[in-house]
Amino acid sequence: MNEWERLNRQAERIKARYPKGTVICLDHMEGEKGMPSGLKGKVSFVDDIGQIHVNWENGRSLALNTEADSFQVLSRPKKERGEPSR
């Protein structure tokens, strides 16, 4: 498996783990002083390199890097009828 395939598979796992609507709580965001611990946000999407794009309660829209930032999942969206489980 080459590097591109590895990164693509990693991004697909992150997309499955953090679907749109997942509510998270920030522990720490690297390099962002205006993003305090305890800030909540909702996942809008995960991009093709595995960054989790979040709409934060402070009005900002910043992506999380799963390798550098830390956060906790507070809730996940309910699955629609007929949607496959992950």
Side-chain angles (χ1 to χ4, degrees), residues 4-18 46-52 66-67:
W4 183 88
E5 290 171 327
R6 185 187 71 77
L7 292 172
N8 187 49
R9 288 182 183 182
Q10 179 180 338
E12 290 303 318
R13 285 191 300 272
I14 294 169
K15 287 178 183 182
R17 190 168 180 190
Y18 304 104
V46 176
D47 64 25
D48 289 338
I49 61 171
Q51 291 184 326
I52 305 167
T66 58
E67 294 179 9

Side-chain angles (χ1 to χ4, degrees), residues 10 14 26-32 50-52 63-71:
Q10 179 180 338
I14 294 169
L26 185 65
D27 292 328
H28 173 77
M29 184 178 278
E30 190 68 33
E32 290 292 335
Q51 291 184 326
I52 305 167
L64 290 167
N65 177 334
T66 58
E67 294 179 9
D69 304 324
S70 60
F71 60 94

